[in-house]
């Protein structure tokens, strides 16, 4: 029996992914809370002034470790009051706080200060709730902490009005993360634009504040709510401390990274206070989005792997073990708006031959949609294009062994649409103003319950009437007049601007609610978040969507950089990538088919070319590569990612993935362009079992000519030689761990 138990434990240890542990311990005597998440520890405590203070964030402390009691910093000079120099957990504006506040309110009597002191705490399993109260006003703040075994802690807050009259919240952040006081930090962050999202930057963190934000109503292309901070002289891809985090909110957000003159380093994020105002009636509360963060001592690579594991296990709708993404065919680049039953059937026939598993019809199937001037809002099938509805196409796709997906853009309306003619007031707008169109469309005000009900209802109907397995949910513009002319308490003569501004929170909450209800009613339907490419990717939307479209840029060379940035913050599982035609529509670049495929294989492979134009040879190549992808996709999408060679400022790049159970590894290697006839550099693998032997399955026999079985220590130490030459050459190895 004992032997059995031992071998069972051994089996568990061998096959279960090696996640860490999480725990929350209270040291009641010192009023401290010790949160362990994976290989990190976070400690907070109540200080001698009754304020909640951050005490430690770094490598895991030994069980029972105790920190000195929390203490307010002494006044350094009359210009540096303790409130501004002590690393507070949730600093409210008041009593001389000059750094970024977590909370700023105006009470009805004009009191604009808050001094939040500890009131109570409760540990419930992996969750800690701490209550703070203002010393004068009946304002209560609940701080929540949840520790996850993958090495992440989630923090958020709830602000409650227990007064008899309303008060106005002008700034409400989710949390402040205080790093160890000091200098020599470097900040990494992501910026972008349409067709060039996920640009990774790293620069020394100088004294001052750096603002990352969206004022656009949605997450946006221009910056992503993610940060990673390393030590300039210690941290790289494979080693060194990294404090990292991301905010789960799909509306306007702000993240402020401060390094004060006294070298207090902190990251504050939550609702964007720009144009923000949330009036809390008596008895009401406002909850802030979750701000997730973690620490690792093992460099940016490990920080990403922690986030990837965490997203798979705790965030995505398919958690804790989302199914690997099917191979998609999408018609957008092939046909644009010119979708017809016959045209799509012809593409579907060819896609099926390639091993595609899901056929997706993009924009153009509904209303009077000939181009982007009309139709958004009219979600009925266009009779000219599909005289018999979608059923014949869907049946055909099913008969070919694929499931069926459809593009929608539910939150938008074209002024040239039946919906707008009927409900012009459903679009966001300010009174007596010309609305601003972008891509000839307006944003529907989802904060309005009538609009939210309409959006849910038409989607529910669409999914009930048709056998649809997948929605590509698009969102192709930002906000311009975020007004609500028919909002609560508003009339034409007396607008209630206070109530109107709830749009910033209510819109997004209604969006989440619609997604959640649709998923509950249609549990088999999967959803992709798209916003003109990667304009709405964050841990808020990813709780309801299975994948994202990272960019409209499908040029394989650009895409290598885009995907490199993307994987710093999000798992390859959600990173959809299509192989499209050349010359590429954006930059006319011509890249060989295998290179395009191997780039798309870094995440969830899809195909988006016009298959009617592909030659027999191209179809054969595509079939072979799709079949290869199927043998490695679980490792790519669920494994540990090692960015072996960054593509930034390099003519070569490689990524490697190791299955969570170690049974397989995959290497994807690229030569962007060759100079001076130099041989491809030796590639040293990572994350393998040094003692194990691996059988190497080379995608191209001619590009890997060494032995078929090699020991892990050799693959990592001596590396592998690949014979790549010329421009846009590429290859892949699948490594099978032998028993
Ligand atoms: C957006 C998406 C594209 C495509 C078009 C359709 O730009 O990012 O993939 O769906 O809309 O109009």
């Amino acid at each position: 029996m004992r032997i059995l138990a031992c071998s069972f434990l051994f089996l568990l240890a061998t096959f279960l992914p090696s996640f860490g542990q999480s725990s929350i311990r209270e040291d009641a005597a010192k009023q401290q809370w010790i949160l362990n998440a994976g290989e990190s520890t976070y400690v907070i405590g109540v200080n001698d002034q009754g304020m909640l203070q951050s005490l430690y964030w770094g490598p895991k402390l030994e069980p029972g470790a105790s920190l000195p009691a929390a203490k307010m910093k002494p006044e350094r000079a009359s210009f540096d009051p303790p409130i501004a120099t002590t690393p507070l957990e949730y600093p409210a504006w008041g009593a001389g706080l000059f750094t970024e506040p977590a909370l700023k309110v105006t009470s009805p009597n004009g009191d604009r200060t808050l001094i939040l002191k500890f009131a109570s705490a409760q540990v419930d399993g992996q969750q800690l709730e701490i209550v703070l109260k203002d010393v004068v006003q009946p304002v209560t703040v609940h701080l929540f902490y949840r520790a996850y075994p993958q090495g992440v802690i989630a923090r958020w807050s709830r602000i409650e009005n227990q007064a008899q009259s309303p008060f106005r919240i002008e700034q409400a952040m989710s949390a402040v993360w205080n790093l160890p006081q000091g200098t020599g930090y470097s900040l990494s962050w992501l910026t972008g634009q349409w067709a060039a999202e996920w640009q990774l930057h790293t620069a020394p963190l100088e004294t001052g504040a750096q603002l990352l934000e969206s004022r656009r109503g949605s997450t946006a292309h221009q910056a992503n709510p993610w940060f990673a901070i390393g030590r300039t002289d210690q941290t790289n891809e494979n080693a060194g401390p990294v404090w990292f985090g991301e905010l789960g909110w799909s509306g306007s957000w702000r993240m402020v990274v401060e390094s004060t003159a006294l070298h207090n380093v902190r990251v504050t994020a939550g609702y964007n206070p720009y144009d923000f105002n949330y009036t809390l009636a008596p008895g009401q509360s406002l909850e802030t989005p979750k701000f997730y963060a973690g620490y690792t001592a093992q460099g940016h690579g490990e920080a990403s792997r922690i986030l990837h594991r965490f997203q798979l296990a705790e965030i995505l709708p398919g958690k804790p073990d989302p199914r690997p993404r099917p191979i998609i065919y999408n018609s957008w680049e092939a046909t644009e708006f010119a979708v017809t039953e016959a045209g799509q059937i012809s593409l579907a026939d060819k896609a099926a031959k390639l091993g595609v598993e899901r056929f997706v019809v993009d924009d153009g199937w509904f209303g009077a949609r000939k181009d982007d001037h009309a139709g958004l809002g009219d979600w009925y099938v266009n009779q000219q294009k599909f005289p018999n509805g979608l059923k014949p196409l869907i049946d055909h796709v099913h008969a070919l062994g694929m499931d069926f997906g459809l593009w929608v853009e539910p939150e938008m309306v074209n002024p040239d649409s039946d919906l707008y003619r009927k409900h012009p007031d459903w679009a966001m707008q300010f009174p007596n103003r010309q609305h601003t169109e972008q891509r000839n469309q307006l944003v529907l005000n989802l904060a309005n319950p009538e609009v939210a009900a309409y959006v849910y209802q038409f989607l529910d109907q669409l999914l009930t009437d048709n056998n649809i397995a997948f929605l590509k949910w698009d969102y192709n513009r930002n906000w311009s007049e975020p007004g609500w002319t028919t909002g609560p308490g508003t009339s034409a003569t007396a607008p209630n601007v206070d109530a109107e501004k709830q749009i910033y929170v209510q819109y997004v909450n209604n969006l989440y609610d619609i997604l959640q209800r649709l998923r509950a009613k249609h549990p088999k339907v999967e959803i992709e978040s798209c916003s003109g490419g990667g304009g709405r990717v964050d841990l808020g939307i990813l709780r309801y969507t299975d994948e994202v479209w990272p960019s409209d840029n499908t040029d394989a060379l650009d895409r290598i950089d885009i995907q490199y940035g993307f994987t710093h913050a999000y798992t390859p599982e959600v990173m959809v990538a299509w192989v499209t035609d050349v010359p590429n529509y954006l930059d006319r670049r011509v890249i060989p088919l295998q290179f395009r495929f191997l780039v798309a294989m870094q995440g969830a492979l899809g195909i988006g070319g016009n298959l009617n134009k592909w030659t027999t040879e191209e179809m054969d190549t595509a079939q072979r590569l799709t079949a290869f992808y199927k043998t490695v996709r679980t490792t790519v999408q669920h494994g540990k990612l090692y960015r072996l060679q960054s593509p930034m400022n390099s003519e070569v790049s490689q990524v490697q993935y190791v299955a969570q159970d170690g049974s397989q590894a995959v290497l994807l290697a690229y030569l962007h362009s060759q100079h001076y006839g130099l041989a491809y550099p030796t590639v040293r693998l990572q994350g393998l079992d040094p003692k194990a032997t691996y059988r190497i399955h080379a995608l191209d026999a001619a590009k890997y000519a060494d032995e078929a079985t090699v020991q892990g220590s050799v693959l990592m130490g001596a590396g592998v030689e690949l014979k790549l030459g010329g421009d846009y050459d590429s290859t892949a190895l699948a490594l099978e761990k032998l028993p």
Side-chain angles (χ1 to χ4, degrees):
M1 193 57 207
R2 205 164 161 178
I3 293 171
L4 263 181
C6 279
S7 48
F8 177 66
L9 282 180
F10 170 76
L11 276 176
L12 265 183
T14 321
F15 294 112
L16 279 184
S18 54
F19 293 151
Q21 300 286 318
S22 64
S23 65
I24 301 182
R25 184 167 64 84
E26 178 170 6
D27 180 337
K30 283 191 174 163
Q31 284 197 304
Q32 285 179 8
W33 294 269
I34 299 99
L35 291 85
N36 289 308
E39 296 308 310
S40 68
T41 297
Y42 188 75
V43 186
I44 54 177
V46 180
N47 67 25
D48 49 345
Q49 301 293 313
M51 302 187 93
L52 191 67
Q53 184 176 329
S54 160
L55 291 171
Y56 176 81
W57 188 19
K60 191 170 183 172
L61 300 177
E62 290 300 320
S66 175
L67 276 101
K71 248 205 178 118
M72 205 80 178
K73 299 255 186 224
E75 182 178 285
R76 184 189 159 265
S78 55
F79 304 96
D80 294 316
I83 194 102
T85 59
T86 306
L88 296 177
E89 274 293 281
Y90 201 76
W93 187 72
L97 182 84
F98 306 121
T99 47
E100 190 66 26
L103 185 62
K104 181 173 186 311
V105 304
T106 297
S107 295
N109 67 355
D111 179 359
R112 304 201 302 284
T113 208
L114 274 185
I115 298 180
L116 296 175
K117 298 224 169 170
F118 175 80
S120 64
Q122 198 186 340
V123 179
D124 181 6
Q126 305 304 304
Q127 192 161 307
L128 165 67
E129 178 177 353
I130 292 192
V131 181
L132 308 177
K133 281 186 191 298
D134 181 53
V135 293
V136 173
Q137 300 286 349
V139 176
T140 305
V141 178
H142 296 246
L143 301 183
F144 297 95
Y145 297 79
R146 194 171 181 84
Y148 293 94
Q150 299 82 13
V152 171
I153 295 172
R155 289 180 55 190
W156 68 104
S157 63
R158 192 174 71 223
I159 302 128
E160 285 179 3
N161 181 356
Q162 293 172 341
Q164 300 303 317
S165 38
F167 65 78
R168 197 185 280 169
I169 301 173
E170 283 150 24
Q171 174 151 340
M173 306 308 255
S174 302
V176 179
W177 291 96
N178 288 284
L179 276 75
Q181 188 183 31
T183 54
Y185 287 108
S186 284
L187 172 68
S188 299
W189 72 103
L190 290 162
T191 65
Q193 54 180 299
W194 176 80
E197 301 87 336
W198 313 106
Q199 306 295 313
L200 181 71
H201 308 263
T202 299
L205 192 61
E206 302 289 358
T207 302
Q210 186 160 342
L211 189 71
L212 307 172
E213 67 169 357
S214 160
R215 298 179 179 186
R216 296 165 179 256
S218 63
T219 328
H221 302 72
Q222 283 65 23
N224 194 264
W226 167 87
F227 75 90
I229 297 176
R231 286 273 183 201
T232 309
D233 58 352
Q234 294 170 31
T235 305
N236 57 35
E237 179 70 11
N238 299 315
V242 184
W243 294 262
F244 56 93
E246 45 200 6
L247 183 74
W249 183 241
S250 314
S252 290
W253 57 273
R254 178 176 286 182
M255 186 177 278
V256 184
V257 185
E258 284 173 290
S259 176
T260 70
L262 296 176
H263 311 314
N264 288 320
V265 178
R266 18 194 266 146
V267 186
T268 307
Y271 294 128
N272 196 329
Y274 185 83
D275 194 41
F276 184 87
N277 186 6
Y278 200 97
T279 301
L280 273 191
Q284 279 190 342
S285 62
L286 172 68
E287 189 156 305
T288 56
K290 298 198 169 62
F291 188 6
Y292 305 91
Y295 166 85
T296 176
Q298 294 165 57
H300 288 290
E302 185 63 10
S304 302
R305 289 187 286 275
I306 290 172
L307 285 175
H308 298 169
R309 280 202 295 271
F310 171 67
Q311 291 157 9
L312 291 166
E314 308 285 355
I315 297 288
L316 293 172
K319 69 186 179 184
D321 193 18
R323 80 177 181 114
R325 303 288 74 226
I327 299 176
I328 276 185
Y329 177 82
N330 179 294
S331 62
W332 174 245
E333 284 197 30
T335 58
E336 294 205 342
F337 298 96
V339 290
T340 59
E341 185 182 305
Q344 296 295 303
I345 282 180
S346 143
L347 288 168
D349 288 340
K350 297 187 177 79
K353 286 198 189 118
L354 299 183
V356 165
E357 295 153 323
R358 172 170 287 167
F359 185 83
V360 183
V361 174
D362 209 278
D363 199 349
W365 60 269
F366 53 90
R369 190 80 166 160
K370 288 194 300 290
D371 50 34
D372 60 16
H373 285 81
L376 289 174
D378 298 340
W379 298 103
Y380 49 81
V381 179
N382 181 301
Q383 286 300 312
Q384 276 88 52
K385 298 180 183 182
F386 297 92
N388 306 306
L390 292 172
K391 191 165 188 308
L393 172 61
I394 296 179
D395 288 348
H396 190 86
V397 165
H398 288 160
L400 291 168
M402 301 182 288
D403 68 27
F404 182 80
L406 200 59
W407 181 95
V408 287
E409 194 176 359
E411 300 149 81
M412 299 288 167
V413 67
N414 287 117
D416 186 359
S417 68
D418 295 343
L419 184 74
Y420 187 75
R421 281 181 282 271
K422 200 162 161 206
H423 296 290
D425 57 322
W426 279 9
M428 286 183 187
Q429 54 192 293
F430 288 147
N432 308 320
R433 281 264 166 203
Q434 182 62 33
H435 56 226
T436 309
E437 290 179 23
Q438 289 161 13
R439 208 195 191 203
N440 313 302
Q441 64 195 58
L442 301 171
V443 189
L444 289 173
N445 176 12
L446 220 54
N448 180 345
E450 255 188 294
V451 177
Y454 160 79
V455 168
Y456 173 80
Q457 186 272 328
F458 91 71
L459 286 165
D460 176 37
Q461 198 69 49
L462 191 65
L463 297 175
T464 305
D465 294 348
N466 300 284
N467 195 345
I468 292 173
F470 172 81
L471 291 177
K472 174 177 170 184
W473 185 303
D474 212 335
Y475 182 84
N476 276 312
R477 60 160 290 176
N478 296 131
W479 295 7
S480 48
E481 290 84 24
W484 184 354
T485 45
T486 56
T490 288
S491 72
T493 47
N496 182 348
V497 176
D498 265 9
E500 253 192 73
K501 287 193 174 180
Q502 303 212 351
I503 200 170
Y504 284 106
V505 175
Q506 209 45 47
Y507 180 108
V508 183
N509 283 339
N510 284 355
L511 169 67
Y512 291 157
D513 179 64
I514 292 168
L515 285 163
Q516 188 261 322
R517 284 195 292 139
L518 283 172
R519 296 201 71 113
K521 179 136 183 233
H522 305 277
K524 293 212 176 86
V525 175
E526 296 185 327
I527 304 178
E528 174 177 297
S529 172
C530 172
S531 172
R536 191 155 66 186
V537 182
D538 60 79
L539 292 194
I541 203 83
L542 279 170
R543 285 178 298 155
Y544 309 102
T545 55
D546 305 85
E547 58 186 54
V548 303
W549 179 231
S551 181
D552 275 348
N553 187 334
T554 54
D555 169 65
L557 191 62
D558 286 351
R559 195 81 183 197
I560 286 189
D561 295 355
I562 286 173
Q563 295 178 171
Y564 175 74
F566 183 96
T567 62
H568 279 74
Y570 302 100
T571 164
E573 158 105 2
V574 303
M575 187 173 76
V576 178
W578 309 335
V579 176
T580 58
D581 291 334
V582 289
N584 185 270
Y585 83 97
L586 260 183
D587 54 23
R588 316 307 300 158
R589 197 175 276 126
V590 177
I591 290 183
L593 190 59
Q594 173 155 320
F595 192 99
R596 280 180 272 149
F597 257 95
L598 291 196
V599 171
M601 281 188 206
Q602 290 185 1
L605 172 70
I607 297 175
N610 187 347
L611 299 180
N612 291 322
K613 295 195 179 146
W614 286 24
T615 63
T616 313
E617 196 194 336
E618 284 172 327
M619 290 294 281
D620 290 348
T621 303
Q623 208 171 32
R624 182 173 65 89
L625 293 170
T626 310
F628 173 78
Y629 178 71
K630 286 180 181 170
T631 68
V632 299
R633 100 169 107 188
T634 307
T635 301
V636 166
Q637 296 187 22
H638 288 183
K640 300 176 192 165
L641 168 67
Y642 294 86
R643 292 176 293 250
L644 297 186
Q645 169 64 54
S646 158
M648 310 311 287
N649 308 313
S650 168
E651 291 301 356
V652 303
S653 64
Q654 304 104 29
V655 288
Q656 188 208 324
Y657 308 79
V658 180
Q660 293 291 349
D661 67 2
S663 61
Q664 190 189 50
V666 186
L667 170 69
L668 303 176
Y670 311 90
L671 174 58
H672 313 170
S673 73
Q674 194 180 28
H675 291 282
Y676 316 116
L678 291 175
Y680 197 77
T682 304
V683 181
R684 289 184 184 81
L685 302 186
Q686 292 186 27
L688 302 179
D689 175 350
K691 295 202 177 74
T693 301
Y694 291 82
R695 185 184 307 286
I696 299 182
H697 304 271
L699 176 66
D700 309 291
K703 295 180 189 173
Y704 174 78
D706 286 334
E707 285 162 13
T709 55
V710 187
Q711 201 196 45
S713 69
V714 175
L715 291 165
M716 293 192 288
V720 291
E721 305 298 335
L722 300 173
K723 301 204 178 340
L724 297 185
D727 291 350
Y728 305 123
D729 202 2
S730 61
T731 196
L733 302 180
L735 297 97
E736 177 195 349
K737 184 175 167 184
L738 298 178

